[in-house]
Amino acid sequence: MSNVETIHVVHHCHTDIGYTHDPPVVWDLQDRFIQEAVDLAERDVGLDADHAFRWTVETTESLRRWLAHASAADIDRFCQVERAGRIEVTGLPLNLTPLTDADQLAEALQGLRPLRQQHGLTIRHAMNCDVNGQAWPVADLLLDAGIRSLSMAINSHMGGTPPRPDLFWWEAPSGRRLLTLGGFHYMWGWRFGIGRSAERLRDEWWPRVDAHLDAIGYGLRSLLLQTTHPFGDNGTGDPNLSAWIEAWNTAGGRPRILLSTPSEWVDAVLAEEADLPVRRGEWTDFWNFGAGSSAREVRVNRASRDRLRTADALVAAVGDEAAHRSMSRYRDAAWRALHLFDEHTGGVDTSFSAPHGEDTTAQWMHKAHTAWEARSLSQMHQRDALAALA
C-alpha cells in the first residue's frame, strides 16, 4: 500500500482553443465557465469544509478576455473568491507547445503583471495539460515570473509517459529549482470515479492506483488528481462534485478527498519536507501532431517571431513616433496571434474520422488564420520600425 492519506482534487476546465467547438465559440464558453465558477465558489465561500467548491482557472488568456467585458461587480466578485482561496489562477496563457522559444515564453508571461497589479491576484503555480514536454528555459522563465511550481498532465494518446505521478525539483539552466509534477491525465479524477461512482473508486480504481503508487515508490501522503466536468474538454464546473465529495468523506471513504487548488496541494507537499529528486535538462515533447501536419504555418510563425524581435529592438533604439504608433496598436495582437498558433490544439475531435468534414475544415481555417495574422501584423510592425531607422 502507498502512503497516500489525502487526494487533492483540482477541478478545472481543460482549455482547447478548438477541438470541441470552433474557437470563437470556445472563447464565449470560457466566459460562461468563469462566471459559473464564481457563482459556485460564492455558494460555498463561507463553508470551511473539504468539499467546499474550488476552481482552477488553467489559462490566463481565458481570464483576460473575460475581464475585458465583465462588469465591475462581477470582477469584484471574482477577486473576492480568489482572495478567499476558492479560485486559483495559474500562470500560463494557454496550454503551450515547445514550439515557443525563450523570448516568446517571456512575452507570453507578461500578462501576469496586470493581473497581479490591477486585480491583486496571487499567481504562484503554472499548469500545462495535454502537452508532453516543455523547453528547458521555461523553468527559469517561470521562476522569474514569480511562479514556484509547475504541473504537467500529459496526454498519453498515441504516445507514452514516464512513470507518474512524479514530483521532482527541475533544475533550471541558472541552477535554480522549480517544483515540478509529472501528473496523471487531467481527466482521470472523473475516470477513477470521483464525482461519479463511490463504488468504482473504492472497489475498482483506488486499489489499482494505490498498488501503482506503491510500485513506483510514491512516498508522499498527498496526491494531486485533476478532474474536469463529465463533458470533458472545454467543460464548466461540475455543480454536483462538492456533494459527492461530502458524501464520500462522511461515509468514511479512504483516502480522504479534498476539493483543492494546485497551491493548496503544493503547500501540503512542502509541509511533508520530503527528499525529492533533482532533475536537470530538456523535457522533450513527442506528441505535438499539429507541428508536423502544418509545417508551412510553423515556418511562417517562426519567421513572424523573428520579425517581432527585430521590430522591438529597432523601436527601442530609434524612439520614432510612427514606429511607436505601430507598436502600440499592433504589437500585442501580433504576439497574441503567434501564441495562439503555438497553442496545443491542432484540430477538431473529428479530424481523423471526417478529415474533409465541415467541422475539420472550419477549425483548421481558424487555426491557420492565427499564423497568417501574426505574419501580417509582424511585417507591418517591422516595416514601420525599419522606416523609422532609415
Side-chain angles (χ1 to χ4, degrees), residues 45-62:
V45 74
L47 183 63
D48 183 17
D50 292 346
H51 62 272
F53 186 85
R54 293 171 177 85
W55 178 256
T56 297
V57 178
E58 134 189 72
T59 59
T60 59
E61 179 63 14
S62 300

Side-chain angles (χ1 to χ4, degrees), residues 137-315:
V138 77
D140 268 326
L141 290 163
L142 288 174
L143 289 166
D144 288 342
I147 301 295
R148 64 171 181 167
S149 51
L150 166 70
S151 58
M152 298 280 288
I154 292 174
N155 190 329
S156 57
H157 174 59
M158 297 185 71
T161 62
R164 56 180 178 176
D166 181 22
L167 183 66
F168 59 94
W169 293 104
W170 191 7
E171 188 169 281
S174 67
R176 295 176 297 168
R177 293 175 179 178
L178 178 73
L179 187 66
T180 303
L181 173 70
F184 286 130
H185 188 278
Y186 56 86
M187 285 184 180
W188 280 10
W190 174 254
R191 178 180 175 184
F192 292 166
I194 294 176
R196 180 166 57 128
S197 170
E199 291 74 20
R200 287 200 71 182
L201 176 62
R202 183 188 64 238
D203 301 334
E204 179 184 353
W205 278 108
W206 181 248
R208 293 169 62 179
V209 174
D210 195 31
H212 167 75
L213 295 173
D214 185 51
I216 66 172
Y218 184 86
L220 297 169
R221 297 189 298 275
S222 300
L223 174 71
L224 184 145
L225 195 57
Q226 294 172 225
T227 197
T228 59
H229 189 278
F231 176 81
D233 297 340
N234 290 321
T236 188
D238 183 354
N240 301 313
L241 184 58
S242 293
W244 190 96
I245 291 174
E246 180 183 19
W248 171 270
N249 289 336
T250 301
R254 290 291 179 269
R256 178 175 71 100
I257 297 178
L258 170 63
L259 192 48
S260 190
T261 63
S263 287
E264 287 181 303
W265 176 74
V266 169
D267 288 342
V269 164
L270 293 177
E272 294 190 37
E273 299 182 349
D275 186 16
L276 301 175
V278 178
R279 306 218 168 94
R280 179 177 174 87
E282 188 84 2
W283 194 338
T284 308
D285 176 42
F286 51 85
W287 183 78
N288 183 13
F289 300 141
S293 63
S294 54
R296 186 183 187 189
E297 284 74 19
V298 169
R299 176 187 61 80
V300 166
N301 220 43
R302 286 182 168 179
S304 298
R305 187 169 62 200
D306 289 341
R307 280 191 294 271
L308 286 171
R309 276 195 284 245
T310 301
D312 281 354
L314 289 171
V315 171

